[in-house]
Amino acid sequence: FRHPRRNSARGHGTPRWDAFKAVAPNARLGDMGIELLTAPLPRGSLILGSFSDIEIEREAYRLQEVIKQPVKWGLETCRAIAPLTLEINQLKRENDVFLIAHSYQTPDIIYGVADSVADSYALSKEARDAPQQTILFSSVRFMAETAKIVSPHKVVLHPSPEAGCSLSDGITAQDVRDLKQAYPGVPIACYINTSAAVKAECDVCVTSSNYLRICEKLPGERLIFVPDRFMGKHLQNALAGKKEVVVFDGECEVHAIFTGDKIRSWRNRTANLVMELMVLSHPECDADVLEESDFVGSSEVLMEEALRLASEGKRDLMLITECGTADRVIAESDEELNLIGACVMCRHMKVTQLEDILQALRNPRPEQIVEIESDVIDRAGHCLNEMFRLAG
Ligand code: 13P
Ligand code: SF4
């Protein structure tokens, strides 16, 4: 399994690009540094387990050390969350639960309790291959559904069933059936950010780390891609002259906020200060953002590239993606970094807090246990298996 290297905000409406800036991890950057999100304090919704003062203190120091953001995640905050992480880790051990977290979850989840953290492709493989019979997926709903599809005999717990995604919520199975009727016989590739019911209607699933590779292997001169219109545009550009790509009209509400203009203005600002800015972007962004970028990749690959660049002394980095990637880069880098610009928070990813995880482990509500009709599992499973086959 891929373990975080040092294992152990609630939603505010659609954020704007300019909504998050200042407070740099490196204070010398002034208003050029990204603003990292404030630690979500326990809501007080649960009666906490009893741990000794020594256990709490030791856990608080561990959390502060692994998260590596002493301003936002100071010792007081870590003391407040320590009883939660201690009990979650204890319940995981007692009940043999594998806790998976997506990269955009908050650092207390990633570095406090997760057994594995990665992008959606790696996590779907880990859910499939984990020997544990219970998986708790800390992320948005479509990812927990994906875990259930690839391992139907396992119990998959999803602490926040209300955690959606603007891409997966923007398309229905009927939309796909309509496309199939309009374009009979044309293969349909769906982004993994879709419901189980949508996957069940599609031929192959793709993720941000393999969509180009897989789509170019599909037979025929035409292809339907759903639901991300920006990734669809990247496919149209990459396959121009080889395949026509019919694209649906969805978008990620987080990555749609970034613009090429904004990157150009940051490049000018940093160039005036003789900084060598490296721009790393997620492919859910528009094509003009990707054109301005030095590197494009999935959430995990962006983090790995940032760490690689930092280790080569290239420390002026701009991460064009959700704020969780910056949290991870800070936690996992040994270098002092200049994280420039602004990140944007995904209100869906940030719905889940440690208390939700603890509550789901103690006594899950029926809607926190992922159930999918067997016929949908079979058809969506075929779509995901095709991805595993073609991604290799
Ligand atoms: P990754 O596969 O890159 O983790 O992307 C999932 C996602 O929802 C990004 O917004
Ligand atoms: Fe969906 Fe965008 Fe949030 Fe990813 S960042 S879960 S694509 S809304």
Side-chain angles (χ1 to χ4, degrees), residues 280-320:
L280 286 65
S281 301
H282 195 279
E284 287 169 14
C285 296
D286 199 351
D288 70 333
V289 171
L290 269 49
E291 274 159 29
E292 284 300 320
S293 303
D294 300 293
F295 185 86
V296 178
S298 73
S299 56
E300 185 71 13
V301 171
L302 288 187
M303 187 199 69
E304 283 167 4
E305 178 65 5
L307 297 181
R308 194 190 66 76
L309 289 168
S311 72
E312 284 182 356
K314 294 186 177 146
R315 298 191 191 125
D316 304 330
L317 305 176
M318 192 165 180
L319 298 167
I320 305 294

Side-chain angles (χ1 to χ4, degrees), residues 49-97:
S50 51
F51 294 93
S52 70
D53 290 349
I54 292 175
E55 285 172 307
I56 300 277
E57 207 58 11
R58 199 185 297 138
E59 179 71 345
Y61 274 96
R62 177 184 80 85
L63 292 167
Q64 195 188 39
E65 197 182 312
V66 288
I67 294 172
K68 291 210 319 205
Q69 292 184 43
V71 177
K72 298 267 173 179
W73 295 85
L75 213 44
E76 272 310 299
T77 301
C78 293
R79 275 192 197 106
I81 61 176
L84 293 157
T85 56
L86 282 168
E87 187 174 344
I88 290 170
N89 285 325
Q90 185 180 316
L91 287 174
K92 269 172 36 189
R93 280 191 301 274
E94 286 171 7
N95 301 320
D96 198 24
V97 176

Side-chain angles (χ1 to χ4, degrees), residues 102 104 139-140 142-143 164-168 191 193 228 251-255 282 284 321-322 345-349:
H102 185 262
Y104 296 164
S139 184
V140 290
F142 75 82
M143 291 197 194
C165 161
S166 65
L167 280 168
S168 66
Y191 191 33
N193 296 38
D228 187 334
E251 65 178 32
C252 162
E253 67 189 40
V254 170
H255 292 90
H282 195 279
E284 287 169 14
T321 186
E322 209 273 344
M345 183 190 81
C346 173
R347 65 197 167 109
H348 310 289
M349 283 283 184

